């Protein structure tokens, strides 16, 4: 018996794909059954039936009920030691009974579901003919007819093609909803730049920070994903916002911050920032994008802020800027029109502890973050935020599975 339920394999598998994949598997099982039946006595699986006769212990009552027309069942074996019976001494031996059971005709039954309503009346009559026609009494005939019916109705979708189609199902850059007012749970919006302090024009002289006045880029999308692996280089994924612009040869440049939260499953928070002006007009950003990893690790900064949440979380996160590359592992992915920073939160014991604490309060938290490239010289000052974000009450249960 084969039971296949593709709903628990991939939640977003299309019904047409699920039916074709199931039919493909049932067809192969039927073919294997026919092959073993054609090669009876010559395949490895039949060796068990070809072993020499062996003794089976039966009780007096079981021996009395054993005749040539009643095959032994499991409850009759190994119960008592009163009499020993050899298979070869009876015409209706255990070997004959097992062979008879093996050659019994069997059928495949499809579990009825709501998807059967998609078939029209003509196809319904075909299914009725299948159920009652002797020509299709065998499993192979039934599977063949169902296979032809699926091809005629929706077109055959191979397992590999279905997998490729599902891998492109997620629309990267739009899995987390936008809510400019910040009233909708599990959503994103841009944060007020003035909330964050950055190095001013005279920072090298007075060591004073000032409130930020604006951002270099615009936050245009966000992803909240869950997976059994690290999800990196999201900018190269088809059906994503970055590749849509790349296919149109648009001049916009994307800066993607991909924060990977360790655990089972792995959660990924990706923020998509877009630069509308040419990259060359921003010297510091241009140097960062085209620089090496060591340079990037020494310049990329994150400023966190918890405007709404428990006191213990606020104290743990703080509001101090941090050079992310000095504390966590960052994997950089450079594409035609984007740079993606995949930040591994699990690479630091301290960061893992903070994230574990935050996860327990996440549905009641509002988190704000700002990203920037640190300015170290007078020519690079004052600093300018790359972008900000505001995350409202993220819910792990609403993360999109990929």
């Amino acid at each position: 018996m084969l039971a296949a339920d593709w709903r628990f394999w991939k939640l977003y598998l299309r019904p047409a794909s699920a039916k074709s994949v199931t039919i493909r598997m049932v067809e192969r099982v039927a073919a294997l059954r026919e092959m073993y039946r054609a090669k009876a006595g010559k395949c490895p699986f039949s060796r068990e039936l070809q072993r020499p006769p062996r003794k089976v212990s039966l009780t007096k009552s079981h021996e009395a009920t054993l005749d040539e027309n009643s095959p032994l069942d499991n409850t009759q074996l190994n119960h008592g030691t009163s009499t020993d019976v050899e298979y070869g001494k009876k015409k209706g031996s255990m070997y004959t009974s097992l062979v008879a059971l093996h050659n019994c005709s069997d059928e495949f039954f499809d579990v009825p579901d709501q998807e059967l309503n998609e078939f029209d009346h003509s196809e319904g009559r075909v299914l009725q003919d299948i159920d009652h026609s002797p020509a299709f009494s065998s499993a192979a005939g039934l599977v063949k007819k169902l296979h032809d019916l699926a091809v005629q109705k929706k077109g055959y979708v191979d397992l590999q093609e279905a997998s490729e189609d599902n891998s492109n199902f997620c629309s990267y850059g739009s899995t987390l909803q936008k809510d400019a007012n910040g009233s909708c749970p599990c959503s994103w919006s841009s944060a007020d730049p003035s909330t964050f302090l950055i190095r001013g024009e005279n920072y090298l002289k007075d060591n004073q920070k000032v409130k930020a006045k604006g951002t270099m880029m615009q936050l245009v999308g966000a992803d909240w994903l869950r997976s059994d692996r690290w999800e990196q280089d999201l900018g190269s994924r088809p059906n994503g916002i970055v590749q849509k612009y790349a296919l149109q040869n648009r001049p916009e440049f994307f800066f993607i911050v991909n924060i990977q939260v360790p655990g089972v499953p792995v959660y990924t928070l990706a923020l998509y920032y877009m630069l509308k002006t040419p990259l060359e007009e921003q010297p510091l950003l241009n140097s960062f994008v085209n620089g090496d990893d060591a340079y990037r690790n020494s310049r990329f900064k994150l400023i966190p802020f918890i405007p709404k949440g428990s006191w213990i979380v606020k104290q743990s996160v703080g509001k101090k800027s941090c050079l992310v590359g000095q504390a966590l592992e960052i994997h950089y992915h450079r594409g035609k029109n984007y740079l993606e920073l995949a930040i591994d939160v699990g690479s630091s014991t301290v960061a893992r502890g903070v994230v574990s604490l935050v996860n327990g309060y996440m549905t009641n938290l509002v988190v704000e973050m700002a990203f920037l490239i640190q300015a170290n010289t007078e020519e690079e000052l004052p600093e300018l935020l790359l972008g900000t974000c505001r995350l409202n009450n993220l819910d792990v249960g609403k993360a999109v599975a990929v």
Side-chain angles (χ1 to χ4, degrees):
M1 177 179 290
L2 172 69
D5 190 346
W6 301 111
R7 290 175 297 176
F8 295 99
W9 179 45
K10 282 193 175 181
L11 297 178
Y12 51 84
L13 188 64
R14 296 183 305 176
S17 303
K19 278 185 175 294
S20 62
V21 171
T22 304
I23 291 174
R24 180 75 174 270
M25 177 171 284
V26 174
E27 187 179 37
R28 290 179 177 179
V29 173
L32 286 173
R33 194 276 309 273
E34 298 298 334
M35 183 187 73
Y36 292 140
R37 180 176 291 174
K39 295 183 178 181
K42 296 182 181 181
C43 64
F45 296 93
S46 64
R47 291 177 183 173
E48 185 68 23
L49 298 177
Q50 296 176 2
R51 290 181 177 176
R54 57 190 178 91
K55 294 183 179 182
V56 180
S57 298
L58 302 174
T59 62
K60 290 292 185 180
S61 59
H62 287 156
E63 181 184 7
T65 58
L66 177 64
D67 59 48
E68 61 183 8
N69 296 323
S70 60
L72 294 176
D73 58 38
N74 292 334
T75 61
Q76 293 173 305
L77 297 178
N78 301 324
H79 292 283
T81 59
S82 59
T83 303
D84 291 338
V85 181
E86 293 188 4
Y87 279 81
K89 291 183 180 180
K90 284 186 175 286
K91 294 180 181 179
S93 63
M94 171 62 83
Y95 175 77
T96 305
S97 300
L98 285 175
V99 171
L101 281 174
H102 181 68
N103 290 331
C104 285
S105 61
D106 56 353
E107 299 291 342
F108 290 95
F109 297 93
D110 191 15
V111 179
D113 56 10
Q114 296 180 354
E115 294 179 8
L116 292 178
N117 296 330
E118 297 173 3
F119 293 94
D120 58 24
H121 297 292
S122 62
E123 289 165 333
R125 288 195 297 271
V126 173
L127 288 176
Q128 292 177 1
D129 294 340
I130 292 175
D131 292 337
H132 301 289
S133 174
F136 293 99
S137 60
S138 66
L142 179 61
V143 170
K144 179 66 169 60
K145 195 66 179 178
L146 287 174
H147 178 265
D148 294 342
L149 186 61
V151 171
Q152 180 181 2
K153 178 65 180 177
K154 295 178 180 177
Y156 181 73
V157 180
D158 187 73
L159 177 61
Q160 182 178 1
E161 295 174 354
S163 299
E164 292 175 355
D165 179 73
N166 288 327
S167 66
N168 298 334
F169 181 82
C170 182
S171 181
Y172 293 95
S174 60
T175 60
L176 186 63
Q177 64 176 332
K178 179 181 180 181
D179 180 25
N181 297 325
S183 58
C184 182
C186 202
S187 62
W188 66 268
S189 61
S190 297
D192 183 4
S194 62
T195 305
F196 306 95
L197 298 177
I198 57 175
R199 294 181 176 183
E201 187 175 0
N202 299 319
Y203 179 80
L204 296 180
K205 298 176 182 178
D206 55 21
N207 203 30
Q208 294 295 317
K209 291 188 175 182
V210 298
K211 292 183 178 181
K213 296 181 179 179
T215 61
M216 186 186 306
M217 301 183 182
Q218 178 185 359
L219 181 60
V220 294
D223 282 327
W224 181 226
L225 312 170
R226 71 173 184 268
S227 175
D228 57 355
R229 61 179 182 179
W230 300 114
E231 296 295 335
Q232 299 187 26
D233 201 9
L234 301 180
S236 65
R237 306 284 178 93
N239 292 344
I241 184 175
V242 176
Q243 289 304 310
K244 288 181 180 179
Y245 275 75
L247 291 176
Q248 299 174 9
N249 292 321
R250 299 278 296 270
E252 290 84 356
F253 185 84
F254 288 86
F255 190 92
I256 308 170
V257 180
N258 181 347
I259 303 174
Q260 301 171 343
V261 183
V264 181
V266 178
Y267 290 93
T268 299
L269 173 66
L271 305 169
Y272 296 77
Y273 295 93
M274 185 174 67
L275 178 68
K276 294 183 178 181
T277 60
L279 184 61
E280 293 73 19
E281 293 184 6
Q282 304 293 337
L284 188 56
L285 177 61
N286 187 40
S287 299
F288 183 88
V289 170
N290 297 310
D292 57 20
D293 290 355
Y295 176 81
R296 294 165 176 167
N297 289 337
S298 66
R299 293 297 189 103
F300 181 66
K301 285 203 303 189
L302 161 68
I303 307 176
F305 177 51
I306 307 292
K308 179 182 177 182
S310 66
W311 177 86
I312 188 172
V313 174
K314 289 183 178 181
Q315 295 300 314
S316 300
V317 175
K319 197 178 178 181
K320 188 176 181 180
S321 61
C322 169
L323 285 171
V324 181
Q326 303 297 320
L328 301 174
E329 248 181 62
I330 302 180
H331 302 278
Y332 299 91
H333 302 276
R334 178 74 161 92
K336 176 184 177 182
N337 64 332
Y338 70 92
L339 175 68
E340 179 174 333
L341 288 69
I343 304 172
D344 182 7
V345 176
S347 59
S348 166
T349 304
V350 176
R352 281 201 308 269
V354 173
V355 170
S356 298
L357 175 65
V358 171
N359 281 343
Y361 300 88
M362 190 169 291
T363 55
N364 297 317
L365 285 181
V366 174
V367 181
E368 293 186 357
M369 291 184 289
F371 305 99
L372 68 154
I373 300 173
Q374 181 171 280
N376 292 337
T377 65
E378 290 187 4
E379 292 77 14
E380 296 171 345
L381 291 172
E383 289 180 333
L384 179 61
L385 296 180
L386 296 176
T388 65
C389 74
R390 179 184 175 93
L391 305 171
N392 305 304
N393 311 114
L394 288 183
D395 186 352
V396 295
K398 295 183 179 180
V400 177
V402 294

